[in-house]
């Protein structure tokens, strides 16, 4: 079953995450299909930009804890979004959690609607937002990251804009995106690639510097007894023993 669908209109390739059974979680299948679709877009001269969106009420629920991707594949996916020589625009009308925020943060422009919500839930499970920090921390307000990384609180689109996760919050996402996509259609391919390289340079440097270390930290946390208990409690819909 295909979980990433592609359509095309006047230079904009839309990639739609469509895995409702697990709320578009980052499964091995979704990560693989999205990576392949991005590679196709990179090689297609008819693609000026990519619009990344979703079906259902969740943009991405984070890692699929029952069918997780190879961690290296997920890191490669985020880096592929950052390094794609064409802008990647996120269209969000639903919820974004944990690893899904890494995918969102890798996008160049992100516009979301009033029903969207956001949360870094890793610390609640005995984990940490390790590898997703590479596209996120260079772009986020440090105080916001310090709060939401630690507390796992849920917050809305307006706060996500203030925190640096989103470009814009809008009542009508498609109306807000119309001038953005029009501008991308008017820009030259070379101009877009060169301009994107300027604004993503710090993020690429972060991947270069921290991929090995943060991947190792993530693997160690996932293998720990505390995280295994946290994940089990989550799947069993109960509180883990450390909740006071």
């Amino acid at each position: 079953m295909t979980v990433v669908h592609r359509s095309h209109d006047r230079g904009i390739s839309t990639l739609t995450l469509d895995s409702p059974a697990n709320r578009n979680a980052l499964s091995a299948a979704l990560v693989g299909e999205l990576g392949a679709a991005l590679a196709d877009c990179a090689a297609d001269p008819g693609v000026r930009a990519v619009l990344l969106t979703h079906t259902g009420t969740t943009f991405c629920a984070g890692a699929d804890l029952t069918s997780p991707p190879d961690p290296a594949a997920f890191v490669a996916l985020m880096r592929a979004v950052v390094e794609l020589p064409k802008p990647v625009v996120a269209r969000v009308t639903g919820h974004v959690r944990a690893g899904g925020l890494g995918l969102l943060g890798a996008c160049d422009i992100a516009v979301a609607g009033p029903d969207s919500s956001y949360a870094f839930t890793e610390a609640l499970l005995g984990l940490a937002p390790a590898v997703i920090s590479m596209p996120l921390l260079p772009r986020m307000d440090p105080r916001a990251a310090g709060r939401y990384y630690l507390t796992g609180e849920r917050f809305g689109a307006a706060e996500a804009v203030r925190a640096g996760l989103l470009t814009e919050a809008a009542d009508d996402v498609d109306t807000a995106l119309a001038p953005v996509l029009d501008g991308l259609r008017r820009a030259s391919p070379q101009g877009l690639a060169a301009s994107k390289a300027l604004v993503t340079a710090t993020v690429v440097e972060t991947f270069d510097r921290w991929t090995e270390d943060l991947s190792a930290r993530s693997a160690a946390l996932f293998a720990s007894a505390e995280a295994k208990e946290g994940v089990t409690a989550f799947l069993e819909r109960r509180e883990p023993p450390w909740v006071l």
Side-chain angles (χ1 to χ4, degrees):
M1 181 180 69
T2 301
V3 294
V4 177
H5 301 286
R6 180 180 174 186
S7 60
H8 189 81
D9 178 48
R10 293 179 51 225
I12 307 297
S13 270
T14 298
L15 304 182
T16 302
L17 308 182
D18 184 21
S19 182
N22 65 359
R23 299 185 301 143
N24 294 323
L26 295 161
S27 63
L30 188 142
V31 168
E33 287 186 25
L34 184 54
L38 288 168
D40 288 344
C41 290
D44 187 344
V47 175
R48 188 65 50 82
V50 174
L51 182 66
L52 181 62
T53 189
H54 61 101
T55 60
T57 59
T58 301
F59 174 79
C60 181
D64 186 337
L65 299 175
T66 61
S67 179
D70 178 351
F74 177 50
V75 172
L77 175 64
M78 292 189 293
R79 183 161 187 156
V81 174
V82 173
E83 293 192 317
L84 197 79
K86 303 171 185 187
V88 180
V89 180
R91 176 190 178 277
V92 181
T93 59
H95 310 301
V96 193
R97 297 289 183 268
L101 288 161
L103 183 59
L104 178 67
C107 295
D108 303 291
I109 299 168
V111 179
D115 294 328
S116 64
S117 71
Y118 310 82
F120 293 93
T121 55
E122 290 90 345
L124 306 180
L125 304 180
L127 301 166
V131 296
I132 67 171
S133 288
M134 291 185 282
L136 287 172
L137 290 185
R139 290 170 164 165
M140 283 189 72
D141 172 76
R143 284 295 190 184
R147 174 177 178 171
Y148 296 119
Y149 268 36
L150 298 176
T151 66
E153 294 170 88
R154 185 172 65 181
F155 52 98
E159 176 64 3
V161 172
R162 189 200 69 78
L165 283 169
L166 294 176
T167 307
E168 182 177 354
D171 290 335
D172 188 320
V173 175
D174 293 317
T175 297
L177 280 171
V180 173
L181 299 180
D182 183 60
L184 297 177
R185 287 182 172 112
R186 291 174 177 274
S188 84
Q190 175 178 281
L192 287 175
S195 298
K196 175 169 177 171
L198 291 172
V199 296
T200 58
T202 301
V203 181
V204 173
E205 289 172 1
T206 303
F207 273 93
D208 288 340
R209 181 176 179 182
W210 290 105
T211 290
E212 184 175 348
D213 178 76
L214 291 178
S215 296
R217 288 195 218 182
S218 180
L221 285 167
F222 269 99
S224 69
E226 192 161 300
K228 288 178 180 177
E229 169 57 26
V231 169
T232 300
F234 173 79
L235 293 174
E236 293 178 352
R237 298 181 181 276
R238 61 173 173 81
E239 297 278 25
W242 53 76
V243 173
L244 301 175

